Amino acid sequence: NTTPKRWTVFMLEILGHRLEANRALCPETSRLLDRVPNLIQAFISILEPGKSVPEHEGPYRGYLRYHLGVRVPARNPPKLVVNGQDYVWKEGEAVLFDDSWPHAVVNHSEELRAVLIVDVRRPMPLVADLCNRFITDVVARHTYGRSVARKAEAFASARGAKRPMAA
């Protein structure tokens, strides 16, 4: 972490596990997510003012990441830097990128930033797609997905589904 501020994640779905308590707080967003083909995970990423995220790479090339600006400070808006290319978020606008590329968030704003993040299965040729589906739908769903969903559900129960989960 590059700053002492918080990066909060409000999980809606991960690898087929739907977090119903959280989804109930975002019914319209959840309804729209239900129509997204090849959805892997969806969550709202919230950065406190001044919180940046150091450069990192996603763990797996089998998906693409979609960011939709939900709440973006108008003054000094945060930016996403993907593979050396800057993208400044705007409310209601989106960017799709390869999460396996190096990316970071630079945030010097004085307000909260909220982005809806949706990961979708990467289009691939048939054999690669079948392998990718096996990894996401079978292996990851029953290991990583189940673990994250259980932790998020426990956190939602403990907080009474009133505020997002801290990351």
Side-chain angles (χ1 to χ4, degrees):
N1 291 321
T2 60
T3 61
K5 306 286 183 164
R6 287 174 45 133
W7 174 17
T8 304
V9 173
F10 188 74
M11 186 64 66
L12 298 168
E13 184 166 342
I14 180 159
L15 295 160
H17 300 277
R18 294 181 171 178
L19 288 99
E20 296 303 335
N22 291 353
R23 290 170 60 93
L25 296 172
C26 307
E28 193 63 23
T29 300
S30 296
R31 186 181 67 75
L32 293 170
L33 289 171
D34 289 342
R35 296 173 36 197
V36 174
N38 300 312
L39 181 94
I40 292 178
Q41 72 176 346
F43 58 94
I44 299 171
S45 169
I46 303 165
L47 296 180
E48 286 187 345
K51 174 63 179 175
S52 293
V53 179
E55 186 173 83
H56 61 286
E57 299 168 7
Y60 179 61
R61 297 190 69 193
Y63 63 91
L64 298 173
R65 180 155 281 184
Y66 173 87
H67 279 202
L68 174 65
V70 176
R71 181 175 175 185
V72 180
R75 204 179 99 205
N76 200 17
K79 68 179 177 179
L80 172 68
V81 182
V82 179
N83 214 22
Q85 182 176 349
D86 293 357
Y87 173 80
V88 177
W89 285 287
K90 294 179 184 152
E91 288 184 11
E93 292 188 12
V95 62
L96 181 71
F97 67 98
D98 184 335
D99 185 60
S100 70
W101 293 350
H103 56 284
V105 175
V106 179
N107 180 18
H108 301 295
S109 69
E110 297 177 11
E111 300 173 53
L112 284 177
R113 184 235 56 176
V115 171
L116 174 65
I117 297 178
V118 179
D119 293 341
V120 294
R121 191 175 293 110
R122 179 190 295 272
M124 296 181 177
L126 180 61
V127 173
D129 183 59
L130 291 172
C131 290
N132 194 23
R133 286 176 185 273
F134 176 75
I135 290 167
T136 58
D137 298 352
V138 178
V139 178
R141 173 181 166 79
H142 297 290
T143 56
Y144 177 74
R146 180 182 292 156
S147 173
V148 171
R150 283 182 178 161
K151 288 176 186 174
E153 286 168 346
F155 192 86
S157 294
R159 67 174 162 71
K162 294 180 183 168
R163 60 184 186 82
M165 177 173 94

